[in-house]
């Protein structure tokens, strides 16, 4: 599986999705298939899928307490323990998880090894992945929140606040959102990282490119329909409200680019439970991060612990009794 | 293969981290090149343990003499483990291939082989997982990143899972904490199901099972070794230390890796323990049955960890001690800290450990009832219970190598440093990317510290060596301290090849050098028998 193959096959897949939805609406008039049926199915797959995956993970036992300790553990009272990198109680675990989930703490440690004459190796700071990752996830989050204005009437005030802050810099008319730019930039940079860094290119699978292209496609179609195709927003809103209130209708005359956008989103959420995107839920269950390093102070039970064959002291003494007596080692049986 | 056969460091490191092969990794089978793999386990060792498929074979053979249904065995084993270990299951599912872990592995940095990037190491097994256990993988095959479990894939597993020292450095950097060491552990368990294992792991395991220690030393042999050390101590200090063995009713059972009994420089550390305990008048005992703190079960399977580890509590119970003290070791402490009590506990026949000298309660060990020697000693020093003369170590300019397991599996970072700083005047840290939780492996952990694997070991040792050479150049460091028996052996080869002027040693060797003992004679030599001061040194 080489890099080009992965990239091209993923690109073809996403382009095919775009073409299918565009022509499905434009040429065959499947507005309500792409506007109503598919989104509902996708949402159902997403919800059921995510719940299923999480329950499935949660059902698998954690037999041992295996936190990765990234700081000083709690031992003697005068040694300062690091509760965030090596938690010794639930608050520490919560703090550690908070830093991981909201600030990508571990990614922030990233460095880049470089070989030099000597030979020696140096470690340059490498926070790009962290930066792109943060930009990507937070702009994604804000964009999702902003979308709520389509589904709700009246629009909740926090959505309005976020929307107006996001659109504060009126670069174009209508408002061009900062997060749109950051989002597209971040996804593009994540993609460029993947194709330009040889190590990363080597490990990338079609699935890695597929997710990026799909998300990029969503972003681009979104920006296009807002700023260039000037999609009928009222129509979109009535469709969205309809979906939300379970009285779906696909109003006629919405530009196909909207259906492309909606279809790509549908594919993304339907794909989500089956893919690496589940890292979003998985991170919370990761035993190296969500367990406290109280290994020696609190009991931990393995639900499937079973008896094993051991070599007992009696067997050992039977093997060596005479020799032990000769050299004066006390024995249990004379 | 021998150290002398290796090319010069500069030539060895003529590699490029940024030039993966043209062929994609799925189609690039492993090549067993001399010096980069370990010899397989002798059939007799597997037989002794009742493990599957004992036979004689070599990785370079075409036919590995596997059972006919090996595929079925492995896939069944995978299924079982996917249902028993959330770690394994999750780590199969959530990697985003972001590459953060890629250049964090010492074997990748030292070899440039992309399959030594933790992410690819895990993908070797993940590709099979996708192919056989996930919906998209089953539907899409290769497009879905799936790969059938062929004999080449299995051979690749053997090569690369025995090219991971289970050091957990990658897991520090992964945004989801994916621990490739955990994947390797499961990978090795699966390999063991069809009789694929290495002798440098299985021989110690088989020995430990029967004799109580890795080296297969019978009880009467152990006594010789310990008494030999006691004699050396007497020569150096004039004091005959007491040497309690299998003593019932002692307060404390002392367990340390057997590597400390038989070879320099571990023996100096072992002498250090004896001197310290004697000076304290500690009511303790050595055990011949539990004469091994190390546990190569960790490099075999979870079941084997338990089978070997069971001796420690069993012996504590038989001898009727109150609690257990453990010596300087790396992987032993992963087992004690993360597995022992869960596997073989609860040890409710023991008491919560209290230092008989200072009265300090070791709250952090109140359930396991096993205390780390640097916790014990740093508490003694903090309470002023030891008379120390660090100037006796003035010839030593030290740096400290955090062993992977105490650092990343137990969070033991400050205790050893506190002890070191109190017993030696010259101490310099290596660069921060290479110590504490980011410490680099010695290159020979997890059973890979054998001679035939020497090239790969020296490659894996390179990041540690590079950091060491940094402080050698800057501060004239001449002693690499560590608290791990495997390290004391493998780092010695490391310094030999990479930093010939540096000696390797344990912490309690320096403690004992500095320790002013009651009634000792005027000391002129250190535990290595080398003159203490500079005067005698120059001609
Ligand atoms: C601890 C929390 C999280 C961390 C550390 C994290 C980190 C990452 C990283 C490193 C990538 C890979 C970028 C690349 O391709 O190189 C990624 C991708 C992605 N993440 Fe997260 N993520 C987290 C939580 C979430 C959450 C809560 C969501 C919610 C939807 C999410 C959705 C995505 C998506 C859609 C992608 C893009 C797909 C891709 O690039 O493969 N992530 N994340
Ligand atoms: S850092 Fe973690 S998520 Fe990223 S490639 Fe490595 S194992 Fe996968
Ligand atoms: S555990 Fe250590 S040796 Fe194994 S892949 Fe991770 S960094 Fe490499």
């Amino acid at each position: 599986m080489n890099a080009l193959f992965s990239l091209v096959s993923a690109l073809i897949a996403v382009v095919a999705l775009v073409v299918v939805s565009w022509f499905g609406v434009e040429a065959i008039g499947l507005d309500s298939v792409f506007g109503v049926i598919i989104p509902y199915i996708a949402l159902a797959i997403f919800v059921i899928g995510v719940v299923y995956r999480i329950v499935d993970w949660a059902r698998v036992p954690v037999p041992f307490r295996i936190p990765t300790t990234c700081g000083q553990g709690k031992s003697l009272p005068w040694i300062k323990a690091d509760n965030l990198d090596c938690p010794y109680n639930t608050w520490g675990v919560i703090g550690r998880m908070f830093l991981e989930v909201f600030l990508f703490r571990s990614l922030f440690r990233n460095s880049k090894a470089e070989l030099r004459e000597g030979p020696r190796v140096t470690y340059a700071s490498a926070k790009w992945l962290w930066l792109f990752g943060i930009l990507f996830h937070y702009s994604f989050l804000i964009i999702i929140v902003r979308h709520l204005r389509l589904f709700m009437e009246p629009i909740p005030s926090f959505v309005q606040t976020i929307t107006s802050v996001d659109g504060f810099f009126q670069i174009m008319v209508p408002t061009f959102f900062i997060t749109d730019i950051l989002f597209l930039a971040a996804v593009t940079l994540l993609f460029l990282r993947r194709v330009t860094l040889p190590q990363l290119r080597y490990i990338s699978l079609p699935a890695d490119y597929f997710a990026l292209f799909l998300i990029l496609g969503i972003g681009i179609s979104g920006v296009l329909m807002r700023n260039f195709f000037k999609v009928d927003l009222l129509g979109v809103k009535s469709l969205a409200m309809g979906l939300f209130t379970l009285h779906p209708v696909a109003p006629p005359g919405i530009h196909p680019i909207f259906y492309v956008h909606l279809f790509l989103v549908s594919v993304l959420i339907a794909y989500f439970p089956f893919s690496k995107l589940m890292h979003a839920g998985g991170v919370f269950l990761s035993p190296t991060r969500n367990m406290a390093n109280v290994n020696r102070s609190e009991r931990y039970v393995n639900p499937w612990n079973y008896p094993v064959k051991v070599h007992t002291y009696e067997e050992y003494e039977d093997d060596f009794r005479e020799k032990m007596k000769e050299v004066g080692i006390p024995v249990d049986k004379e | 293969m021998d150290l002398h056969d290796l090319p010069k460091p500069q030539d060895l490191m003529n590699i490029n981290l940024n030039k993966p092969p043209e062929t994609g990794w799925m189609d690039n089978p492993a090549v067993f090149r001399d010096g980069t793999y370990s010899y397989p386990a002798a059939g007799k060792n597997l037989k002794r343990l009742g493990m599957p498929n004992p036979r004689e074979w070599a990785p370079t053979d075409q036919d590995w003499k596997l059972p006919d249904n090996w595929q079925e065995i492995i896939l069944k084993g995978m299924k079982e483990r996917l249902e028993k270990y959330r770690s394994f299951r999750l780590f199969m599912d959530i990697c985003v291939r972001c590459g953060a872990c890629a250049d964090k592995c010492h074997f990748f940095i030292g070899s440039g082989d992309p399959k030594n990037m933790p992410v690819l190491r895990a993908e070797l097994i993940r590709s099979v997982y996708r192919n056989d256990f996930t919906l998209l993988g089953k539907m899409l095959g290769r497009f879905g990143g799936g790969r059938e479990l062929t004999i080449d894939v299995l051979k690749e597993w053997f090569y690369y899972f025995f090219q991971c020292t289970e050091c957990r450095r990658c897991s520090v950097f992964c945004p989801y904490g994916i621990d490739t060491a955990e994947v390797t552990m499961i990978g090795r368990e699966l390999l063991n199901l069809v009789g694929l294992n290495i002798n440098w792991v299985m021989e110690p395991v088989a020995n430990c099972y029967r004799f109580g220690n890795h080296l297969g030393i019978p009880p009467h042999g152990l006594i010789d070794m310990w008494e030999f050390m006691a004699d050396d101590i007497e020569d150096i200090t004039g004091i005959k230390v007491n040497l309690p063995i299998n003593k019932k009713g002692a307060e404390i059972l002392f367990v340390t890796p057997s590597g400390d009994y038989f070879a320099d420089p571990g023996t100096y550390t072992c002498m250090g323990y004896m001197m310290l305990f004697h000076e304290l008048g500690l009511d303790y005992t050595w055990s011949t049955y539990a004469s091994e703190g190390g546990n190569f079960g960790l490099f075999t399977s979870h079941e084997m960890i338990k089978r070997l580890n069971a001796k420690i509590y069993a012996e504590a119970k038989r001898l009727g001690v109150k609690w257990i003290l453990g010596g300087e070791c790396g992987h032993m402490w992963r087992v004690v800290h993360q597995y022992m009590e869960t596997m073989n506990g609860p040890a409710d026949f023991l008491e919560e450990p209290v230092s008989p000298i200072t009265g300090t309660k070791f709250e952090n060990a109140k359930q396991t009832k096993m205390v780390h020697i640097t916790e014990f000693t740093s508490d003694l020093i903090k309470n002023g219970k030891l008379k120390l003369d660090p100037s006796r170590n003035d010839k030593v300019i030290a740096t400290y190598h955090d062993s992977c397991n105490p650092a990343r599996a137990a969070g033991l970072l400050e205790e050893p440093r506190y002890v070191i700083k109190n017993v030696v005047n010259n101490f310099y840290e290596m660069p921060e990317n290479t110590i504490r939780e980011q410490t680099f492996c010695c290159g020979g952990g997890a059973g890979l510290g054998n001679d035939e694997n020497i090239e790969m070991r020296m490659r894996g040792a390179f990041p540690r060596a590079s950091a060491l050479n940094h402080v050698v150049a800057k501060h004239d460091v001449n002693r690499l301290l560590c608290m791990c028996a495997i390290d004391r052996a493998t780092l010695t080869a490391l310094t030999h090849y990479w930093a010939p002027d540096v000696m390797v040693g344990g912490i309690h060797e320096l403690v004992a050098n500095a320790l002013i003992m009651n009634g000792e004679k005027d000391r002129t030599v250190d535990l290595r028998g080398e003159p203490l001061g500079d005067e005698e040194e120059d001609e």
Side-chain angles (χ1 to χ4, degrees):
Chain A
M1 176 101 18
N2 68 38
L4 195 63
F5 174 82
S6 297
L7 193 151
V8 172
S9 55
L11 189 59
I12 291 175
V14 174
V15 169
L17 295 174
V18 172
V19 170
V20 164
S21 49
W22 182 292
F23 286 100
V25 172
E26 171 90 351
I28 319 179
L30 297 172
D31 297 35
S32 52
V33 173
F34 285 97
V36 177
I37 300 176
I38 292 179
Y40 270 142
I41 295 176
L43 191 65
I45 296 177
F46 176 77
V47 173
I48 296 169
V50 168
V51 171
Y52 176 81
R53 288 302 297 276
I54 299 217
V55 170
D56 202 34
W57 281 331
R59 280 202 340 237
V60 181
V62 181
F64 303 106
R65 182 153 39 203
I66 52 165
T68 307
T69 54
C70 296
Q72 172 62 38
K74 187 168 169 62
S75 62
L76 296 161
W78 48 273
I79 293 177
K80 196 173 170 305
D82 183 345
N83 205 11
L84 289 176
D85 281 327
C86 186
Y88 53 79
N89 57 28
T90 308
W91 287 113
V93 171
I94 291 173
R96 187 181 203 190
M97 289 309 293
F98 179 88
L99 292 180
E100 287 293 3
V101 172
F102 290 96
L103 297 174
F104 297 7
R105 166 87 178 94
S106 292
L107 222 45
F108 194 69
R109 291 193 182 96
N110 199 18
S111 60
K112 181 167 168 32
E114 281 160 314
L115 298 182
R116 312 218 175 252
E117 285 297 301
R120 57 197 183 91
V121 47
T122 56
Y123 310 94
S125 156
K127 309 250 185 274
W128 291 115
L129 175 57
W130 177 83
L131 184 68
F132 301 160
I134 287 277
L135 284 180
F136 167 69
H137 286 87
Y138 276 98
S139 43
F140 198 2
L141 178 67
I142 293 174
I143 290 171
I144 293 172
V145 172
R146 277 205 275 104
H147 276 73
L148 292 180
R149 75 188 189 285
L150 296 172
F151 297 91
M152 294 179 183
E153 196 60 62
I155 301 169
S157 64
F158 77 97
V159 175
Q160 273 175 335
T161 314
I162 287 178
T163 308
S164 59
V165 171
D166 198 356
F168 183 73
F169 298 101
Q170 304 248 333
I171 300 175
M172 287 184 212
V173 181
T175 325
F176 208 103
F177 291 107
I178 300 166
T179 45
D180 288 356
I181 301 172
L182 291 180
F183 180 74
L184 289 178
V187 181
T188 308
L189 290 168
L190 285 174
F191 168 70
L192 289 178
R193 208 180 143 265
R194 220 172 249 297
V195 286
T196 54
L197 300 183
Q199 299 161 4
L200 207 60
R201 196 167 55 227
Y202 197 63
I203 61 176
S204 295
L205 297 172
D208 301 317
Y209 293 111
F210 180 69
L212 285 171
F213 287 146
L214 192 58
I215 290 168
L216 203 57
I218 293 171
I220 292 173
S221 59
V223 170
L224 285 180
M225 78 181 175
R226 202 182 139 76
N227 299 285
F228 300 99
F229 290 92
K230 308 280 190 307
V231 173
D232 167 22
L233 265 182
L234 286 177
V236 170
K237 176 142 188 167
S238 69
L239 173 66
M241 291 285 294
L243 286 171
F244 193 64
T245 53
L246 300 181
H247 297 294
V249 272
I254 305 183
H255 195 281
I257 187 75
F258 166 74
Y259 289 99
V260 170
H261 185 68
L262 186 60
F263 183 59
L264 293 183
V265 172
S266 303
V267 172
L268 180 73
I269 61 173
Y271 175 63
F272 194 97
F274 305 100
S275 67
K276 69 171 193 179
L277 301 180
M278 277 303 291
H279 68 272
V283 60
F284 294 94
L285 293 176
S286 181
T288 62
R289 290 292 186 271
N290 71 7
M291 303 183 96
N293 177 43
V294 288
N295 293 53
R296 275 184 292 149
S297 56
E298 285 172 30
R299 174 131 181 86
Y300 190 78
V301 176
N302 170 6
W304 50 259
N305 197 13
Y306 58 94
V308 296
K309 193 166 167 352
V310 299
H311 192 65
T312 62
Y313 177 80
E314 290 70 30
E315 290 168 293
Y316 171 85
E317 197 183 288
D318 287 346
D319 279 353
F320 301 112
R321 184 170 298 106
E322 290 315 313
K323 294 280 186 199
M324 288 169 83
K325 275 157 66 178
E326 260 172 46
V327 295
I329 300 176
V331 290
D332 280 1
K333 256 195 275 173
E334 279 305 318
Chain B
M1 211 183 197
D2 205 71
L3 265 187
H4 308 289
D5 304 333
L6 287 185
K8 296 249 161 340
Q10 185 65 60
D11 298 330
L12 187 73
M13 291 314 293
N14 189 10
I15 56 170
N16 190 338
L17 298 187
N18 297 312
K19 235 199 171 93
E22 292 295 318
T23 341
W25 62 267
M26 285 195 181
D27 306 302
N28 211 12
V31 181
F32 289 82
R33 194 162 48 80
D34 253 11
T36 67
Y37 66 92
S38 308
Y39 295 155
K44 68 169 196 298
N45 289 325
L46 300 189
K47 260 192 218 129
R48 256 206 257 168
L49 294 157
M51 293 185 53
N53 202 11
R55 73 208 181 285
E56 304 306 320
W57 63 285
T60 45
D61 293 347
Q62 192 62 33
D63 177 13
W64 283 16
K65 303 183 195 161
L66 299 170
D68 289 338
N69 62 340
W70 65 268
Q71 253 161 329
E72 193 189 317
I73 299 178
I74 299 250
L75 291 175
K76 205 170 133 251
M78 253 177 102
K79 179 167 189 297
E80 189 189 329
R81 282 158 187 81
L82 287 164
E83 286 160 6
K84 278 167 102 172
Y85 296 88
R86 190 184 295 165
S87 53
F88 181 47
R89 181 66 199 274
L90 208 64
F91 296 165
M92 287 296 104
D93 281 327
I94 63 173
C95 170
V96 299
R97 284 168 298 281
C98 68
C101 59
D103 56 355
K104 305 305 179 288
C105 177
H106 48 288
F107 283 120
F108 176 64
I109 298 175
S111 73
D113 180 346
K115 284 180 195 161
N116 273 325
M117 296 193 270
V119 46
L120 262 201
R121 199 188 306 287
E123 287 283 316
L124 299 181
I125 207 165
R126 210 178 268 130
S127 52
V128 173
Y129 167 73
R130 283 191 290 257
N131 191 64
D132 286 86
F133 297 92
T134 68
L135 184 66
L136 282 187
K138 279 181 192 159
M139 278 165 41
L140 300 175
R142 283 235 154 176
F143 284 96
R147 189 168 65 147
E148 213 185 310
L149 177 60
T150 62
I151 186 71
D152 278 343
V153 171
L154 189 75
K155 290 185 175 183
E156 198 176 40
W157 285 12
F158 179 79
Y159 191 63
Y160 290 101
F161 290 138
F162 287 100
Q163 218 166 94
C164 162
T165 45
E166 305 182 356
C167 76
R168 311 186 102 194
R169 188 169 194 267
C170 44
S171 100
V172 170
F173 294 90
C174 173
Y176 323 113
I178 293 177
D179 181 6
T180 305
E182 191 76 4
V183 176
T184 295
M185 284 168 71
I186 301 283
R188 289 187 182 190
E189 259 189 57
L190 295 173
L191 290 169
N192 264 290
L193 296 178
V194 291
L196 299 178
N197 24 38
I198 65 173
N199 204 47
W200 218 75
V201 170
M202 294 324 291
E203 182 133 332
V205 167
N207 281 338
C208 189
Y209 189 65
R210 170 149 187 255
F211 294 93
N213 57 69
H214 290 163
L215 303 160
I217 314 165
H220 43 290
L222 282 175
I223 283 228
D224 284 349
M225 290 175 154
W226 287 330
E227 281 177 349
F228 193 79
M229 287 188 241
D231 290 344
D232 276 354
I233 294 172
E234 191 172 0
D235 290 344
I236 296 166
T237 64
I239 294 173
K240 187 149 188 62
V241 293
N242 71 333
L243 193 60
I245 295 169
N246 294 6
K247 179 179 150 195
K248 287 204 170 162
E251 183 176 354
I252 298 166
L253 168 64
F254 181 65
V255 179
T256 200
S258 65
D260 285 356
Y261 308 154
F262 91 117
D264 302 348
T267 44
Y268 307 128
T269 300
C270 197
M271 287 156 68
Y273 306 140
M274 292 179 179
M275 291 161 68
L276 175 69
F277 300 158
H278 178 88
E279 179 60 18
L280 296 170
L282 206 64
D283 179 16
Y284 83 109
T285 181
W286 297 83
S287 159
T288 59
Y289 172 63
S291 48
E292 181 61 69
N295 188 327
F296 276 29
L298 185 65
F299 315 141
T300 309
S301 67
H302 288 85
E303 179 170 311
M304 194 54 77
I305 304 178
K306 182 170 170 178
R307 286 177 71 184
L308 300 182
N309 173 264
K311 288 200 177 85
I312 298 183
Y313 277 150
E315 184 69 339
K317 189 170 188 181
R318 185 184 74 91
L319 295 175
V321 300
K322 289 191 181 149
W323 55 277
I324 310 167
L325 183 60
E328 294 182 19
C329 185
H331 76 285
M332 157 182 171
W333 276 96
R334 172 126 200 232
V335 172
V336 169
H337 194 75
Q338 297 199 328
Y339 299 111
M340 176 158 88
E341 204 269 346
T342 299
M343 286 181 169
N344 290 309
D348 36 22
F349 47 88
L350 296 174
E351 293 176 14
E352 290 181 19
V354 178
S355 169
I357 316 297
T358 63
T360 300
K361 274 194 191 159
F362 295 100
E363 302 257 1
N364 64 321
K366 66 175 189 283
Q367 181 66 26
T368 303
K369 284 127 175 157
M370 183 147 175
V371 175
H372 191 281
I373 183 81
T374 59
E375 292 165 350
F376 180 72
T377 306
S378 56
D379 170 64
L380 292 171
I381 296 175
K382 182 76 181 174
N383 285 289
K385 298 292 181 191
L386 300 181
K387 272 185 273 170
L388 296 167
D389 176 7
S391 74
R392 288 190 194 166
N393 283 319
D394 274 354
K395 276 167 70 178
V396 173
I397 306 170
T399 191
Y400 174 62
H401 162 81
D402 289 90
S403 306
C404 308
N405 288 300
R408 283 188 284 265
L412 272 160
L413 304 173
E414 287 305 330
E415 295 85 346
R417 286 178 168 77
Y418 182 79
V419 175
I420 292 168
K421 286 177 189 159
N422 276 284
V423 298
V424 56
N425 289 321
N426 315 305
F427 173 65
Y428 300 96
E429 293 273 18
M430 288 181 277
E432 63 172 344
N433 284 303
T434 69
I435 55 169
R436 295 175 185 266
E437 76 280 2
Q438 298 198 19
T439 188
F440 273 106
C441 177
C442 60
L448 308 187
N450 53 62
D451 289 340
E452 66 265 20
N453 188 36
I454 193 75
E455 177 185 327
M456 202 36 83
R457 271 173 68 190
M458 288 305 112
R459 289 184 182 282
F462 167 64
R464 168 46 74 230
S466 175
L468 173 62
N469 276 326
H470 180 80
V471 282
V472 170
K474 215 163 146 193
H475 303 291
D476 289 325
V477 162
N478 59 14
R479 178 69 60 95
L480 179 57
L481 295 175
C482 58
M483 50 172 198
C484 168
I486 292 183
D487 278 340
R488 282 191 280 275
T490 58
L491 289 177
T492 303
L494 176 152
T495 55
H496 209 79
Y497 182 75
W498 289 104
D501 296 329
V502 180
M503 306 285 262
V504 176
I507 298 175
H508 278 74
E509 173 189 346
L510 297 191
V511 170
N513 275 338
L515 183 70
I516 301 173
M517 297 176 74
N518 205 354
E520 70 180 10
K521 71 177 190 197
D522 193 18
R523 283 208 224 171
T524 54
V525 294
D526 63 16
L527 294 193
R528 299 184 179 215
E530 287 163 13
L532 278 182
D534 276 328
E535 313 87 64
E536 292 99 322
E537 197 195 27
D538 333 20
E539 308 297 278

